[in-house]
Amino acid sequence: MQKLTRITRNPEVMDGKPCIRGMRVTVGTIVGLMASGHSLNDILKAYPYLEEGDIYEALAYAAWRAE
């Protein structure tokens, strides 16, 4: 597994769920949006403070956790 630099866990942010760069956007939110058919561009439009790399790293993290 590559080192993940964009996924953070902090008990004071979203009860310690894995988040994107300490923001209140969880990996689960990103994965859920992708699973329900939203495109990368849809997500970036809805969350303009996210970067493309954030989404790819969230997916990589979720895939790693599923293993």
Side-chain angles (χ1 to χ4, degrees), residues 41-59:
N41 287 334
D42 292 340
I43 297 169
L44 292 174
K45 189 177 286 186
Y47 299 91
Y49 41 86
L50 293 181
E51 300 170 0
E52 188 173 313
D54 296 330
I55 295 171
Y56 287 125
E57 193 159 302
L59 295 172

Side-chain angles (χ1 to χ4, degrees), residues 30 63 65:
I30 300 300
R65 292 289 300 169

Side-chain angles (χ1 to χ4, degrees), residues 11-28:
E12 296 179 12
V13 178
M14 301 300 286
D15 293 323
K17 292 178 183 176
C19 292
I20 307 297
R21 294 184 285 127
M23 294 184 273
R24 299 180 59 83
V25 180
T26 65
V27 168

